[in-house]
Amino acid sequence: MTFTIVSLLPTLQNTNGDAQNAAVLAQRARWAGLEAEVVAVDDRSTLPDRVDAVVLGSGSDASLETSRSAMLGLHDELRRWGTEGVPILAVGTGWELLSWGIETAGGRSIEGLGILPGRAVPRDGRVTGDLIVKSPLLGVFVGFENHARDYVGAEGSPLGRVRAGAGNGRESGQEGVVMGAVFGTHLHGPVLAKNPGFADHLLGIMADRAGLGYVPGGRSEEVDGYAMAARTAQLRAAGVEASIG
């Protein structure tokens, strides 16, 4: 079989290169001896028959309404995938669009698709910089955050606790939200390239659903060495290397 990884709205939702998380999943699957392809989906007409994972990147506020309109046509599928345990990774505004809704600094209120709990609300000033998160399940995540909204009312489990950066904000000390196999996060990078353990976790879910096993390939170990060096440098720069250990 061939794993099909949907890159959702890559022309609109790829401001920080987050759509490339789909390419990371596909390549690591191939290194493990599994066939995989990335399919760009901009509307229902390009939706493949089989979907094993979905990646939704971040876009600009100017494209929020356009992206929402396109995603509304896939609302039933997104809800079904989430219920069935298909891994969905949503970053930045892609995550916000899957929430209950978005409030902008200009006073607009944009209704979300309601796939994930919580909503995005304006914060005092944009936050940009290193974001370090400690996950009880997957260890340390590193990435870059760049957002002008906090995320409140996240009743699901957070992706992890913030060790450096703002994350969800409002002094919550949390970053992201997780419900089943649906993951929302502020982490840019792309997050799966900087955190290959997270990519392997998603691939493990995909393989389990298909009745297959997943073991990272030999090439993954070599590439992970580069990722580890970059992660170590970012932890050191953020001043949390020693505390995380």
Side-chain angles (χ1 to χ4, degrees), residues 169-239:
R170 303 294 167 105
E171 299 183 353
S172 68
Q174 298 179 345
E175 160 54 20
V177 65
V178 180
M179 284 197 71
V182 184
F183 300 82
T185 183
H186 293 107
L187 285 161
H188 302 293
V191 62
L192 298 186
K194 285 193 169 184
N195 304 277
F198 190 14
D200 287 341
H201 178 68
L202 300 181
L203 284 163
I205 296 173
M206 293 163 59
D208 285 345
R209 294 188 72 251
L212 301 173
Y214 173 75
V215 177
R219 176 65 171 155
S220 295
E221 296 180 9
E222 179 183 349
V223 172
D224 291 356
Y226 300 123
M228 180 59 71
R231 286 162 54 83
T232 299
Q234 188 167 353
L235 289 170
R236 186 178 299 118

Side-chain angles (χ1 to χ4, degrees), residues 1-8 37 39 41 46-55 74 77-78 80-82 84-88 206 209-210:
M1 65 158 289
T2 299
F3 283 125
T4 303
I5 301 159
V6 165
S7 178
L8 191 58
E37 64 175 355
V39 177
V41 171
T46 53
L47 191 65
D49 293 333
R50 179 186 179 91
V51 175
D52 295 286
V54 178
V55 167
L74 294 164
E77 284 78 8
L78 283 162
R80 175 170 55 82
W81 293 331
E84 293 178 351
V86 174
I88 300 175
M206 293 163 59
R209 294 188 72 251

Side-chain angles (χ1 to χ4, degrees), residues 6-229:
V6 165
S7 178
L8 191 58
L9 306 184
T11 57
L12 291 170
Q13 298 292 122
N14 195 25
T15 300
N16 297 281
D18 301 302
Q20 301 312 311
N21 283 307
V24 174
L25 285 175
Q27 188 59 69
R28 293 184 74 84
R30 296 184 193 114
W31 287 337
L34 302 169
E35 296 184 13
E37 64 175 355
V38 175
V39 177
V41 171
D42 291 303
D43 54 50
R44 288 182 63 91
S45 67
T46 53
L47 191 65
D49 293 333
R50 179 186 179 91
V51 175
D52 295 286
V54 178
V55 167
L56 175 60
S58 188
S60 68
D61 277 10
S63 66
L64 279 174
E65 295 281 8
T66 303
S67 293
R68 178 184 179 274
S69 295
M71 289 170 62
L72 278 176
L74 294 164
H75 178 270
D76 291 346
E77 284 78 8
L78 283 162
R79 187 168 293 280
R80 175 170 55 82
W81 293 331
T83 301
E84 293 178 351
V86 174
I88 300 175
L89 172 62
V91 181
T93 64
W95 165 27
E96 293 178 348
L97 285 166
L98 292 184
S99 76
W100 295 331
I102 303 168
E103 298 172 15
T104 71
R108 282 192 302 161
S109 182
I110 301 171
E111 186 177 357
L113 273 69
I115 307 297
L116 285 169
R119 63 189 304 106
V121 297
R123 57 175 292 123
D124 294 331
R126 176 172 292 274
V127 57
T128 59
D130 289 327
L131 177 57
I132 312 297
V133 180
K134 181 67 177 295
S135 163
L137 176 64
L138 297 170
V140 179
F141 290 87
V142 304
F144 186 83
E145 61 181 336
N146 177 17
H147 54 101
R149 286 182 287 273
D150 291 330
Y151 197 88
V152 298
E155 297 173 356
S157 299
L159 184 64
R161 301 288 300 179
V162 173
R163 300 304 300 268
N168 292 355
R170 303 294 167 105
E171 299 183 353
S172 68
Q174 298 179 345
E175 160 54 20
V177 65
V178 180
M179 284 197 71
V182 184
F183 300 82
T185 183
H186 293 107
L187 285 161
H188 302 293
V191 62
L192 298 186
K194 285 193 169 184
N195 304 277
F198 190 14
D200 287 341
H201 178 68
L202 300 181
L203 284 163
I205 296 173
M206 293 163 59
D208 285 345
R209 294 188 72 251
L212 301 173
Y214 173 75
V215 177
R219 176 65 171 155
S220 295
E221 296 180 9
E222 179 183 349
V223 172
D224 291 356
Y226 300 123
M228 180 59 71

